[in-house]
């Protein structure tokens, strides 16, 4: 490998809910190197983001300035968000050049999306939508991006029409790890029947969610409830409540799920209890595919 081939022609960065990922790319978009660091999913200050980014990508930087195209929870200052509905194609939202402290960085930020009613933001997920559509052109329906915060995105004619976010994954982690029911809930294991029953019960009576969750403690102490069953009921109740709130997004719609395989499996099972057969997609390459679409759209626009 020559010295030059160690360096990136350009760098793609996705600051996601659970990790910060960077790719060193050749001019044609092929990956020369990649690196992932854990993230707490919080919006950093711009200088802190740049410093952390440099720790990752310094070996990929040559003598001159290298373009870095970033999306997600970057904290880069004063990024205007496009307002839905908006075309999902990256060419509709060209990157914004951001002042960087390090002269080796030509820092570019992809704007997110905002929505007035209900008030909501997409910061990085919109780029994953663009990546999904790169592999699924003509998709018309709802893309559910599963994660600590799950996002339901309505797509029609290559346009993001609306979206809603749910904090189901975060709620599960808080309740299973830091609440009064934590002793009742196993860290692994899933009972399919208990999960499906909890989904259906909560979908039919979502107003009883808090009472159902509190009952797990009593069932654990008084009835020696199996901790894996408790875990299944907790997940099922929370996802059931989410489905109740998101009913307009999945009822009668074509639904695609993307995210970690274990979580996608749970959402697919939950939707199946309601007669919805969702397609399943790996999420690993979506952000990079979306960033690549944006990069080449930018190159075309500059001609």
């Amino acid at each position: 490998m020559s010295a030059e081939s160690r360096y990136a022609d350009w760098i793609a960065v996705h600051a996601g809910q659970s990790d910060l990922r960077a790719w060193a790319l050749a001019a044609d978009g092929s990956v020369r190197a990649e690196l992932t660091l854990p993230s707490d999913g919080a919006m950093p200050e711009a200088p802190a983001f740049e410093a952390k980014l440099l720790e990752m990508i310094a070996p990929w930087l040559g003598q001159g300035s290298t373009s870095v195209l970033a999306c997600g929870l970057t904290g880069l200052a004063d990024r205007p968000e496009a307002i839905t509905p908006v075309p999902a194609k990256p060419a509709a939202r060209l990157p914004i050049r951001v002042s960087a402290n390090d002269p080796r960085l030509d820092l570019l930020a992809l704007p997110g999306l905002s929505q007035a009613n209900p008030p909501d933001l997409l910061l990085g997920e919109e780029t994953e939508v663009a990546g999904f559509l790169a592999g699924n052109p003509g998709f018309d329906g709802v893309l559910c991006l599963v994660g600590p915060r799950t996002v339901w995105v309505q797509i029609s004619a290559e346009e993001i029409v609306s979206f809603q976010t749910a904090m189901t994954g975060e709620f599960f982690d808080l309740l299973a790890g830091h609440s009064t029911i934590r002793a009742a809930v196993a860290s692994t294991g899933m009972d399919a029947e208990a999960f499906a029953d909890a989904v259906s019960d909560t979908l039919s009576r979502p107003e009883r969610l808090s009472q159902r969750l509190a009952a797990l403690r009593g069932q654990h102490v008084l009835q020696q409830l199996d901790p894996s069953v408790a875990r299944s009921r907790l997940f099922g109740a929370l996802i059931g409540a989410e489905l109740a709130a998101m009913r307009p997004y999945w009822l009668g719609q074509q639904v695609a799920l993307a995210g970690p395989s274990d979580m996608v499996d749970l959402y697919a099972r939950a939707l199946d209890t309601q007669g919805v057969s969702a397609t399943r997609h790996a999420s690993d390459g979506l952000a990079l595919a979306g960033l690549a679409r944006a990069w080449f759209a930018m190159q075309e626009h500059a001609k």
Side-chain angles (χ1 to χ4, degrees):
M1 180 182 291
S2 67
E4 287 75 13
S5 67
R6 295 199 307 269
Y7 301 131
D9 290 323
W10 65 284
I11 295 170
V13 176
H14 176 238
Q17 298 177 34
S18 56
D19 56 41
L20 175 64
R21 301 191 68 184
W23 298 266
L25 300 162
D28 63 0
S30 58
V31 177
R32 288 178 175 166
E34 62 180 290
L35 187 61
T36 302
L37 293 178
S39 172
D40 61 6
M43 184 76 77
E45 296 293 329
F49 175 78
E50 184 179 334
K52 187 172 184 179
L53 181 61
L54 278 170
E55 290 179 13
M56 298 177 70
I57 68 173
W60 304 341
L61 301 175
Q63 295 297 318
S65 176
T66 302
S67 292
V68 179
L69 180 60
C71 71
L73 298 163
T74 63
L76 298 175
D78 299 322
R79 293 192 319 166
E81 285 87 21
I83 301 173
T84 56
V86 66
K89 293 181 179 179
R93 296 176 295 107
L94 293 174
I96 300 162
R97 183 160 272 106
V98 179
S99 177
N101 293 318
D102 193 301
R104 294 174 297 170
L105 299 180
D106 174 26
L107 193 53
L108 301 154
L110 276 176
L113 295 183
S114 66
Q115 182 173 264
N117 188 26
D120 208 343
L121 290 170
L122 294 185
L123 295 174
E125 294 91 353
E126 76 295 329
T127 304
E128 293 181 277
V129 172
F132 173 81
L133 289 174
N136 299 272
F139 175 83
D140 197 301
V142 171
L143 173 62
C144 178
L145 295 168
V146 180
R149 294 185 296 277
T150 295
V151 182
W152 297 75
V153 185
Q154 183 185 2
I155 301 167
S156 182
E158 296 272 321
E159 184 174 82
I160 295 176
V161 178
S162 67
F163 59 91
Q164 286 199 47
T165 304
M167 296 175 61
T168 301
E170 289 190 22
F171 283 159
F172 178 87
D173 289 341
L174 287 169
L175 290 167
H178 304 283
S179 75
T180 56
I181 65 170
R182 64 186 183 277
V185 180
S187 58
T188 59
M190 185 62 59
D191 184 289
E193 184 177 355
F195 173 79
D197 287 346
V199 169
S200 297
D201 286 348
T202 312
L203 256 168
S204 61
R205 295 291 299 276
E207 72 276 8
R208 296 185 61 189
L209 173 64
S210 182
Q211 179 272 326
R212 285 193 179 95
L213 298 185
L216 293 177
R217 183 186 183 194
Q219 292 165 346
H220 169 67
V221 173
L222 302 175
Q223 301 173 359
Q224 291 75 55
L225 180 67
D226 186 319
S228 65
V229 172
R231 182 175 189 269
S232 306
R233 289 181 181 173
L234 175 57
F235 250 134
L238 292 174
I239 293 176
E242 179 181 335
L243 292 186
M246 301 296 180
R247 199 182 301 270
Y249 278 81
W250 54 264
L251 187 62
Q253 300 281 345
Q254 180 182 357
V255 179
L257 298 168
S261 58
D262 57 341
M263 290 298 295
V264 164
D265 181 60
L266 289 180
Y267 275 77
R269 287 196 222 173
L271 287 166
D272 190 60
T273 67
Q274 304 305 303
V276 177
S277 181
T279 59
R280 308 183 193 196
H281 304 265
S283 63
D284 192 53
L286 295 186
L288 178 57
L291 286 161
R293 287 188 75 182
W295 172 259
F296 290 113
M298 184 178 67
Q299 304 310 303
E300 188 66 28
H301 186 265
K303 290 181 180 178

